[in-house]
Amino acid sequence: MYGADICVTAAALKRVEGSSSHARELLKTNTLGTANVIDAALDCAVPRTIFLSSDKGLMPTNAYGKSKALAEDLMIEGNSLAGARPIRFSSVRYGNILGSTGSVLDLWRAAVVRGEPLPMTLPEMTRFFMPVQSAVELVVSVADFMQGGEIFCPEMPRARLVDLAEAAYPRHPQCFYGERPGGEKTSEALIGEDEARHTYRRVGGLIYSIEPQEPGWDQDRQPVGTLVESGFTLRSDTPPLLNVDELRELLEHAKV
């Protein structure tokens, strides 16, 4: 990391299934691995480090989500360890990246090749979705204006998985197997109600900033944007949800 201006740490074990059977590995990679990155950034005086978190880190129901949630706290702590030095740490929390390795689109593509129905969990299951290009642009923009200690969340498109399946593979049979073991949720959230008390909607309304509650490293900092309304949440099951046509356009834009 010597001589680096920005570090983006994205490495993680990210599978929900089996996470309880491999909790120690999730701890080593997702949590302690993040601590190692923070220590290296401090030793090498890297000005800005950004941690890529997950919607599963909010109100976690499995070891994967818990490992991400603690890593977010470690990133906030990194600013305290840096003190007055010009070294800052922030996180970006978002949902599913369309077409990423091991994504549901990969699973469905393999089923189509085998001539099988698309494996589904529950009809009501919803998720956030984002093309990889948008995720990269988000991280680059955050690197420009982060003050340290924030958890940035984008206003992400959300939809039912059954509609995404119809958009990707029209009229292909679907088969429902129920929720996967390992603490899978029927819906995800990027911002919880308790976080709303210190969450700001930035100019343009497309990015939210969950501010650190004890920024002792910067007593003069001022949050940017407008404080969200009391009880605000950002959930994957709240309108507006994308319909099949809108999802088809999103898939074409994402080139997946």
Side-chain angles (χ1 to χ4, degrees):
M1 284 199 197
Y2 282 111
D5 297 309
I6 300 172
C7 169
V8 179
T9 173
L13 299 174
K14 65 174 187 173
R15 308 314 302 168
V16 171
E17 60 272 20
S19 65
S20 296
S21 301
H22 303 91
R24 189 172 303 228
E25 297 305 318
L26 288 159
L27 172 68
K28 289 177 182 177
T29 300
N30 300 357
T31 308
L32 299 181
T34 302
N36 291 340
V37 171
I38 293 169
D39 289 345
L42 289 167
D43 289 345
C44 300
V46 178
R48 288 165 291 181
T49 298
I50 300 170
F51 167 64
L52 303 191
S53 189
S54 166
D55 50 8
K56 292 175 177 58
L58 178 61
M59 296 178 289
T61 56
N62 50 60
Y64 168 59
K66 293 169 187 174
S67 69
K68 285 287 196 176
L70 185 53
E72 289 181 349
D73 287 334
L74 288 173
M75 290 296 290
I76 296 173
E77 180 200 41
N79 297 280
S80 294
L81 297 176
R85 290 178 290 168
I87 303 171
R88 291 293 171 256
F89 301 87
S90 294
S91 299
V92 174
R93 182 195 289 168
Y94 52 66
N96 295 355
I97 301 300
L98 288 168
S100 61
T101 303
S103 70
V104 68
L105 291 175
D106 280 352
L107 185 67
W108 291 341
R109 190 177 295 112
V112 170
V113 170
R114 294 192 301 268
E116 299 173 355
L118 303 181
M120 307 292 290
T121 49
L122 300 171
E124 66 270 23
M125 190 159 286
T126 61
R127 288 294 184 267
F128 293 101
F129 297 102
M130 174 186 279
V132 66
Q133 304 97 307
S134 299
V136 172
E137 290 167 4
L138 172 66
V139 173
V140 171
S141 64
V142 163
D144 280 338
F145 55 67
M146 59 179 276
Q147 298 184 67
E150 308 98 335
I151 301 173
F152 294 100
C153 302
E155 180 67 54
M156 293 185 69
R158 50 241 192 214
R160 297 190 308 159
L161 283 175
V162 291
D163 291 333
L164 178 66
E166 178 62 24
Y169 298 100
R171 296 177 295 280
H172 194 90
Q174 301 176 6
C175 185
F176 293 90
Y177 295 96
E179 63 183 275
R180 295 178 299 172
E184 185 176 48
K185 302 176 185 178
T186 57
S187 62
E188 298 285 4
L190 287 171
I191 301 174
E193 184 175 342
D194 290 330
E195 292 177 317
R197 293 190 294 271
H198 50 104
T199 296
Y200 290 77
R201 185 181 288 107
R202 299 185 67 90
V203 176
L206 298 179
I207 297 179
Y208 299 89
S209 172
I210 304 171
E211 292 291 313
Q213 297 185 65
E214 297 179 301
W217 61 88
D218 186 1
Q219 299 288 352
D220 298 324
R221 73 179 285 146
Q222 294 294 326
V224 177
T226 305
L227 187 66
V228 300
E229 58 273 19
S230 177
F232 173 85
T233 60
L234 190 56
R235 296 174 51 89
S236 67
D237 58 355
T238 55
L241 272 66
L242 298 185
N243 60 36
V244 173
D245 290 337
E246 291 169 328
L247 283 166
R248 194 167 290 127
E249 291 181 8
L250 183 63
L251 290 172
E252 290 175 0
H253 174 68
K255 299 179 181 179
V256 294

